[in-house]
Every structure is written in structure tokens, then in C-alpha cells.
Amino acid sequence: MSEAEVVVVGAGLAGSEAAWQIAQRGVPVRLYEMRPTRSTPAHRTPDFAELVCSNSLKSLELSTPHGLLKEEMTSLGSKILECALRHRVPAGGALAVDRDAFARAVTSDLTSHPLIAIVREEMVEIPEKGIVVLAVGPLVSERLQDSIARFTGEAYLHFYDAIAPVIDADSIDRDAAFAASRYEKGGGADYINCPMTEREYEEFVAALLAGEKAP
């Protein structure tokens, strides 16, 4: 590891963007990603920036904080947004992507960058020297989590999110579901709506809560 390099740990959305921005400014980057050597309970592929929850990156409208942030990122040459717009799918006023094509594009562009060296192995300790960007997210491996805890003096860094289950398209009853816009934005049929009775909804939530969990 050269002291002139910046080490980025984790090739999710934040780590991929950080590696790209640093390299675009002429600084060599060594990007560590433990997958596929070691996977997580949520990831399915070895690709960078894999979306394990919703495929929506939220609003594009400049009147919203999400839309304004995207405009600022675009003006700064965001690789994540470039790939997202390249593989956008209809979602009304939101930016939603083909999750597989999006992740493959981010992986391809970072892998082909001459100043980004990809290291497919688990980082188990925070490097003591040089500049290090930790972008490991809530699915960090146990050994690196322990290293972060020792460094920060905190046993846990907390992460909260809403439930956003990924539904297999083949499991949807198209005779019961209907296509419609969201908030009357977009082409009018951007979303598949799955109506439920109160009992069906309660059973659906109960099945989600009873599912396998990753601490």
C-alpha cells in the first residue's frame, strides 16, 4: 500500500462515489470490497453499488431536498447519478433504476478507471497510516466493526430504515393488481399497485416480521 494512495473501504453507493471523485482529481485509490470473497445476508451479487432495498433513489424535483442534492451531485460529476440516469426506469417524479444494470455499470466504470485499484478482500482493521475513507455501511463485517468500535469508543453505530421488501414480479397476481401513477406524476402507469384487505395486509406484515433477520 503506497502512502500516496487513498484507501476506500466498501464499494456501496458512498464508497463507489468517493473512489471515483478522488481518482478523478488525479489521486490514486485502492478500493476494498469484500464481496464475493465474503458476502452479506442482503447482497446477491459481487457488483459495486448493489441496491439491496428499494430501487428508488427518491425525487428528482428541484423543489425537494432529494432533487436539489441530485442536481448538486450532477454538477460535481457524480458517477452514481450518471449510471442511475443511464439505467433509469419509469417511476413518476422519482429516480428509480434497473438495479442489476445500474450496479454492473458502476462496477465496470470503476474497474476500468486507471487510478482505481480494486482489492477483493475483507479489510479487518482500520489502516493506521494514510488517508482512509470508511464507507462500510450497516452490513460491515464483524472484525472491521470491532476495529471501528475500538477507534470510536462506541460499541455500536445505529442505523434505522423503513421496511421496503423486494417483491418477485412473478408472485404478483396481475388480475388483482393495477398500474397507476404515484401522486399523479409520470406516465400514469409507472407503479404496480397491489391492493390488500386489512387481513391480507396484517398477514403480509406478520410474514415480514417473522422472516430471517440480520443483526
Side-chain angles (χ1 to χ4, degrees):
M1 185 186 304
S2 169
E3 291 188 5
E5 293 177 323
V6 171
V7 172
V8 178
V9 185
L13 295 171
S16 295
E17 186 71 74
W20 180 265
Q21 294 292 340
I22 294 166
Q24 285 293 91
R25 284 153 178 79
V27 180
V29 176
R30 187 168 293 270
L31 176 60
Y32 283 81
E33 172 53 54
M34 67 180 184
R35 294 175 295 117
T37 304
R38 180 171 182 178
S39 191
T40 76
H43 289 90
R44 299 181 299 109
T45 77
D47 290 330
F48 301 162
E50 180 186 341
L51 299 174
V52 299
C53 193
S54 171
N55 70 325
S56 173
L57 302 180
K58 299 190 177 181
S59 178
L60 278 171
E61 297 182 1
L62 288 176
S63 58
T64 68
H66 299 114
L68 183 58
L69 177 60
K70 290 181 182 62
E71 184 68 18
E72 293 171 344
M73 291 176 66
T74 298
S75 69
L76 293 171
S78 168
K79 173 53 62 177
I80 291 297
L81 280 179
E82 177 195 323
C83 292
L85 291 169
R86 202 189 314 165
H87 297 286
R88 185 180 182 184
V89 297
L95 174 58
V97 301
D98 178 324
R99 65 179 69 235
D100 292 331
F102 165 71
R104 285 195 298 267
V106 174
T107 305
S108 176
D109 287 357
L110 265 66
T111 302
S112 61
H113 197 294
L115 291 181
I116 300 178
I118 309 298
V119 183
R120 292 282 193 171
E121 63 183 48
E122 179 185 359
M123 174 73 75
V124 298
E125 292 279 348
I126 300 174
E128 295 182 357
K129 296 181 179 180
I131 298 174
V132 180
V133 178
L134 291 175
V136 294
L139 297 174
V140 59
S141 67
E142 293 87 348
R143 288 186 290 181
L144 185 53
Q145 177 180 304
D146 291 342
S147 179
I148 294 171
R150 290 192 299 272
F151 181 82
T152 61
E154 296 287 342
Y156 296 100
L157 302 177
H158 298 279
F159 177 86
Y160 299 92
D161 198 2
I163 295 175
V166 177
I167 306 299
D168 192 315
D170 292 337
S171 71
I172 298 174
D173 182 352
R174 302 294 175 135
D175 292 330
F178 63 95
S181 64
R182 191 178 185 188
Y183 310 122
E184 298 182 350
K185 297 176 181 179
D190 292 348
Y191 290 85
I192 299 174
N193 295 267
C194 300
M196 301 181 188
T197 64
E198 182 177 355
R199 178 180 177 182
E200 289 170 337
Y201 175 77
E202 290 176 348
E203 291 176 347
F204 179 71
V205 172
L208 282 176
L209 295 177
E212 182 181 356
K213 298 175 179 63

